[in-house]
Amino acid sequence: DPINVDGARETVRRIIRDGNRAADVIARLRALFSRRAFTLERVDLTEAALEVIALSLNDLQRNRVVLESELADDVPVVAGDRVQLQQVMLNLLRNAVDAMIDVDDRPRRLVIRTEREGTDGVRLTVRDAGVGLDRQTMNKLFDAFFTTKSDGMGIGLSISRSIIERHHGRLWAEPNDGPGTTFAFSIPSLGVTGADAMGLQSRPLDTGD
Ligand SMILES: Nc1ncnc2c1ncn2[C@@H]1O[C@H](COP(=O)(O)OP(=O)(O)OP(=O)(O)O)[C@@H](O)[C@H]1O
Ligand SMILES: [Mg+2]
C-alpha cells in the first residue's frame, strides 16, 4: 500500500500537540503544588479576594464583565495557604468569565461575595450569569481533565477542590434560579475576626511540627 503521508503528518502533528499539552499540564501542576510548600498562615478571605479582584480587573473589563463585590469586612480568619486560596478564587473567576463570553442578551454580571458561615466558618461565593450547567456537566465538573473548552485543560476545578479540602473545607457548584451558575467554598475558621487578628496576618501558625 502507498504510504499515507497526510495521515502520518496528521499523527505527528497530534503527537506534538498532545506533547505540548502534557507539558503544559505538568508545568501548571508543578507551579501549583511543588514550587512552594504549603504554608499555613492566618488568612482574611476578604483581603485575599480584594487582591485577586485587583489583579483581575483588566481581564474583567476586557471581557465586558460587570463585577459586583459583596465582601464582608468581619469574616473570621482561616488558617491556610493564602496563595493557594487565591489560586482557587482566580480559577473560579476565570471560569465565570469564560462562561459569559458568549452572553450578549443580558449583563455579564459576576458577583463575588464573602460572608461568615455559621459560628466560625467563612464562605466565598462566585456567581455568574453565564451558560449554566446541564446535569451531565454537573457530574463531571470536578473530574481532572474534564473540559468543554477547546483550549481548556480541565484541571482548574479539580485542583481547586483539592486545595479547599486541604483546608478542611468544601467546594461545590449549583445552578442559579436564573441563568448561570454559582460556585462556592467554605472553610472552617480559627474563630477570630480579621480585625482581632490584625498584625498576625503573615505570622506562621504554630502547627506543632
Ligand atoms: N462558571 C461555570 N459555568 C459553566 N460551566 C462551568 C463553569 N465553571 C466550570 N465549568 C465547566 O466545568 C469544566 C471544568 O472546569 P475547569 O476549571 O476544571 O477546567 P477548564 O476551565 O475547562 O480548564 P482549565 O484547566 O484551564 O481550568 C469547564 O470546561 C466547563 O465546562
Ligand atoms: Mg478553569
Side-chain angles (χ1 to χ4, degrees):
D1 289 355
I3 295 171
N4 180 347
V5 175
D6 283 344
R9 193 177 284 137
E10 178 52 31
T11 302
V12 169
R13 213 178 271 137
R14 201 169 295 151
I15 289 169
I16 292 170
R17 191 197 60 200
D18 291 351
N20 286 340
R21 196 173 145 90
D24 271 355
V25 171
I26 290 162
R28 282 177 61 178
L29 290 173
R30 191 171 286 148
L32 281 169
F33 283 124
S34 30
R35 188 168 45 97
R36 49 202 288 290
F38 185 90
T39 54
L40 205 53
E41 51 195 340
R42 297 173 194 270
V43 182
D44 181 316
L45 279 188
T46 288
E47 280 181 18
L50 278 170
E51 277 180 18
V52 170
I53 289 169
L55 282 173
S56 308
L57 277 182
N58 278 337
D59 197 28
L60 296 174
Q61 245 159 35
R62 194 170 47 244
N63 288 290
R64 284 184 283 120
V65 169
V66 184
L67 177 73
E68 283 174 31
S69 51
E70 302 171 357
L71 303 175
D73 54 16
D74 63 344
V75 290
V77 163
V78 300
D81 187 307
R82 178 191 191 87
V83 172
Q84 288 193 5
L85 291 171
Q86 289 179 312
Q87 187 68 51
V88 173
M89 297 177 198
L90 264 179
N91 283 338
L92 296 181
L93 286 185
R94 188 66 251 172
N95 281 347
V97 172
D98 288 347
M100 295 195 283
I101 215 79
D102 290 327
V103 169
D104 285 314
D105 62 340
R106 56 180 178 268
R108 297 180 185 175
R109 185 164 172 260
L110 191 161
V111 182
I112 178 164
R113 179 164 57 232
T114 55
E115 63 197 315
R116 184 181 283 273
E117 186 183 78
T119 47
D120 66 351
V122 50
R123 176 188 294 207
L124 183 140
T125 309
V126 174
R127 179 190 173 95
D128 67 58
V131 287
L133 295 170
D134 54 39
R135 182 164 292 279
Q136 250 196 338
T137 310
M138 190 80 175
N139 291 329
K140 297 186 192 144
L141 277 185
F142 296 96
D143 293 354
F145 305 114
F146 171 78
T147 184
T148 57
K149 301 170 192 172
S150 56
D151 60 344
M153 294 188 202
I155 59 173
L157 285 177
S158 72
I159 288 176
S160 296
R161 179 169 266 179
S162 60
I163 290 173
I164 295 304
E165 285 176 352
R166 244 190 285 174
H167 288 81
H168 311 291
R170 55 192 201 94
L171 167 66
W172 69 95
E174 52 198 32
N176 294 339
D177 277 344
T181 315
T182 297
F183 283 80
F185 67 77
S186 65
I187 299 184
S189 82
L190 294 173
V192 272
T193 66
D196 293 341
M198 282 290 246
L200 296 175
Q201 290 303 326
S202 58
R203 189 198 293 171
L205 289 176
D206 180 5
T207 58
D209 54 31

